[in-house]
Amino acid sequence: MPIRPENRHRYPPNWPDISHSIRTERAAGRCECLGECGRGTHSGRCPNRNGTPAYGTGSKVVLTVAHLDHTPENCDPANLRAFCQGCHLHYDREHHRQTAAATRRAAVEAAGQLTLDHQDHEMPETRLTCISPAAAAAVVAEAIRPGDTVHTVRQDGAQVVIGYHDKRWPLDVADWAGEHGHAHDDDAARVIAHL
């Protein structure tokens, strides 16, 4: 998955070489997930190969490297797995939920110190393309939080427009949509890359 700018300093300078070696030499261009992702969609090793259509969705596979302990500083080969974007998103989903919850808690705690109402400032938005307008409606119905003006969702055809104060919010929405089959994994990954 794309490295968040605030986390770049946590990766070693030779990370591109490490990642390339894991993806092309050890994994030979194929996802190494043996079910760790928890999707339950494959038995044995995931059949997805870099640059080919993904099984089930047909989206183009992008092979990534996951840190099994979610610690970018730990680049021991035993801690790294070449995962397709779908397996990577699903493997990281609980970690993303935990960090999102911590970020939201911090925002709530800090809200008492804010002197300006955040509504006076333009909220950034990103778009998630879903498989259909009905799928987009399902995502909005699940994600909407009545009374929450910090995290917003609305439907625009087959897209979900996600307004956010906290960058973890779009990630949570994209993860949920992908996990429940409302968006292809590569569309969910594009939301994350946009942040």
Side-chain angles (χ1 to χ4, degrees), residues 68-108:
L68 298 179
D69 67 355
H70 307 292
T71 306
E73 294 87 354
N74 182 1
C75 293
D76 183 314
N79 184 50
L80 303 175
R81 289 288 184 284
F83 281 166
C84 64
Q85 71 270 32
C87 289
H88 199 159
L89 279 169
H90 282 80
Y91 182 80
D92 285 349
R93 71 186 181 282
E94 186 57 36
H95 175 70
H96 291 313
R97 283 188 186 110
Q98 290 171 2
T99 55
T103 302
R104 284 193 291 272
R105 272 194 307 275
V108 167

Side-chain angles (χ1 to χ4, degrees), residues 180-195:
H180 290 84
H182 298 301
H184 295 299
D185 292 333
D186 55 339
D187 290 317
R190 270 192 279 280
V191 169
I192 295 164
H194 172 80
L195 298 177

Side-chain angles (χ1 to χ4, degrees), residues 1 5 12 17 24 30 34 46 48 59 76 79 92 114 125 135 141 143 165 175 177 193:
M1 305 310 328
D17 296 330
T24 61
R30 182 176 171 194
L34 298 173
C46 175
N48 282 340
S59 59
D76 183 314
N79 184 50
D92 285 349
L114 297 176
E125 290 183 338
H165 174 70
D175 274 353

Side-chain angles (χ1 to χ4, degrees), residues 46-60:
C46 175
N48 282 340
R49 292 189 172 275
N50 192 51
T52 64
Y55 73 91
T57 66
S59 59
K60 184 179 177 182

Side-chain angles (χ1 to χ4, degrees), residues 111-126:
Q113 300 172 3
L114 297 176
T115 55
L116 296 174
D117 186 342
H118 67 273
Q119 290 178 334
D120 293 339
H121 305 285
E122 190 172 315
M123 183 184 303
E125 290 183 338
T126 188

